[in-house]
């Protein structure tokens, strides 16, 4: 039984003050309802510590949006895994399409980051997803396969427990267009099948695969209710309590039945 996971990716948004109040709102909800789901928020790096404090002793975990694979040293501007752990991060988002698109992150670089984070016991939310052009050219599975093979290169089966996959079709991110339930389920099933072949069927069964791309309160339950969808990575709708809390509640309700 895979535990549902809802993570908010705040991207390069919020201020110190709005980040703290948003975190506090999420913490209060989770503290109050004790949902049988995992919840994480991933604020911009400068706000990690303040958000950690605002989360208090609630069960909401803290995630970063990027990390570098090397040990602390001369890498101006980068974030070491040890530093993220030092300020209380349990997760890091890696392979996000915005990092691939705007910062030229390759499968090879993403792989080095995944291996470094997972082997140091920092949880990884590993994002994969095809562009609109890929989908229109019927290349979705091919692209997913390349990204998965790249990301998991040299990743031992023993590290899989540190990794969650997020399927995020690029054409659905921030666009208001979500994958249809059929499209989402098919992609998730493909990813799980790939894992079964690359590792083994029980490991594939255990892997949580989140859906991301314009998840909102009104589509969250349907998407997270799909057989191979184990939660959501939420961007825009994670920036306001009134939008994010209903998604957590939808997951909590599903957790009773799924
Ligand atoms: P979105 O972003 O929910 O705003 O589409 C999701 C993501 O990029 O993780």
């Amino acid at each position: 039984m895979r535990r549902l996971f809802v993570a908010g990716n705040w991207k390069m948004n919020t201020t110190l003050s709005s980040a703290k109040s948003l975190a506090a709102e999420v913490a209060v909800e989770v503290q109050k309802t004790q949902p049988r789901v995992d919840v994480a928020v991933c604020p911009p790096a400068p706000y990690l510590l303040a958000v950690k404090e605002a989360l208090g002793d609630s069960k909401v975990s803290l995630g970063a949006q990027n990390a570098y694979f090397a040990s602390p040293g001369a890498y101006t501007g980068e974030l070491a895994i040890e530093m993220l752990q030092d300020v209380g991060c349990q997760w890091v988002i890696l392979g996000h399409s915005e990092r691939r698109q705007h910062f030229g992150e390759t499968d090879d670089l993403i792989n080095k980051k995944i291996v470094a984070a997972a082997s140091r016991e920092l949880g990884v939310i590993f994002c994969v997803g095809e562009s609109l052009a890929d989908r229109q050219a019927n290349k979705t599975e091919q692209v997913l396969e390349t990204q998965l093979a790249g990301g998991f290169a040299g990743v031992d089966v023993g590290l899989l427990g540190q990794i969650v996959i997020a399927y995020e079709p690029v054409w659905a991110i921030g666009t208001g267009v979500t994958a249809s339930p059929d499209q989402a389920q098919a992609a998730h099933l493909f990813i799980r099948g790939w894992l079964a072949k690359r590792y083994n069927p029980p490991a594939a069964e255990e892997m949580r695969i989140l859906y991301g791309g314009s998840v909102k309160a009104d589509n969250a339950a349907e998407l997270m209710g799909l057989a191979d969808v184990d939660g959501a990575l939420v961007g825009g709708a994670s920036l306001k309590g009134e939008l994010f809390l209903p998604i957590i509640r939808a997951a909590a309700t599903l957790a009773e039945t799924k």
Side-chain angles (χ1 to χ4, degrees):
M1 187 63 211
R2 299 181 296 266
R3 200 175 152 91
L4 289 169
F5 184 15
V6 177
N9 173 10
W10 295 358
K11 309 193 179 182
M12 199 171 74
N13 293 300
T14 68
T15 61
L16 176 58
S17 134
S18 71
K20 287 200 285 193
S21 47
L22 181 54
E25 238 182 300
V26 178
V28 166
E29 168 72 18
V30 169
Q31 194 78 321
K32 194 175 65 189
T33 59
Q34 301 283 335
R36 288 198 318 216
V37 299
D38 292 331
V39 179
V41 292
C42 305
Y47 306 148
L48 283 168
L49 198 53
V51 165
K52 176 71 189 165
E53 279 164 17
L55 294 175
D57 55 10
S58 75
K59 296 235 166 64
V60 181
S61 51
L62 184 71
Q65 299 173 18
N66 189 23
Y68 196 55
F69 60 83
S71 298
Y75 299 96
T76 303
E78 290 298 326
L79 305 165
I81 288 156
E82 290 84 346
M83 294 169 185
L84 299 177
Q85 291 175 310
D86 209 9
V87 295
C89 287
Q90 287 159 273
W91 295 100
V92 61
I93 299 171
L94 295 174
H96 193 282
S97 66
E98 287 151 16
R99 303 273 339 151
R100 294 176 190 263
Q101 233 176 297
H102 305 305
F103 305 98
E105 292 206 7
T106 60
D107 290 325
D108 181 50
L109 175 62
I110 294 162
N111 172 249
K112 289 195 174 85
K113 293 180 174 196
I114 291 174
V115 171
S119 58
R120 286 175 226 175
E121 296 186 357
L122 178 63
V124 173
I125 301 173
F126 170 36
C127 305
V128 294
E130 81 289 358
S131 68
L132 185 59
D134 297 330
R135 178 161 283 269
Q136 285 170 341
N138 268 330
K139 286 190 179 151
T140 299
E141 294 188 351
Q142 195 181 314
V143 168
L144 292 178
E145 186 150 27
T146 304
Q147 293 176 347
L148 289 165
F152 282 103
V155 174
D156 188 77
V157 69
L159 290 183
L160 292 187
Q162 301 290 336
I163 302 174
V164 165
I165 296 175
Y167 168 62
E168 298 204 311
V170 180
W171 46 272
I173 296 179
T175 58
V177 181
T178 41
S180 69
D182 283 353
Q183 288 170 326
Q185 171 57 25
H188 284 234
L189 190 62
F190 174 79
I191 293 168
R192 207 176 295 289
W194 184 88
L195 289 166
K197 271 186 266 157
R198 165 73 171 80
Y199 294 97
N200 57 63
E205 265 313 297
E206 274 174 38
M207 175 65 72
R208 290 188 289 184
I209 308 175
L210 316 184
Y211 170 81
S214 297
V215 174
K216 305 260 173 338
D218 60 8
N219 58 28
E222 184 174 33
L223 288 161
M224 293 190 290
L226 297 167
D228 285 286
V229 177
D230 308 307
L233 181 56
V234 187
S238 70
L239 291 170
K240 286 205 169 109
E242 75 253 32
L243 301 178
F244 193 51
L245 301 187
I247 298 173
I248 298 173
R249 289 185 201 121
T253 305
L254 280 167
E256 307 288 326
T257 52
K258 205 177 169 188

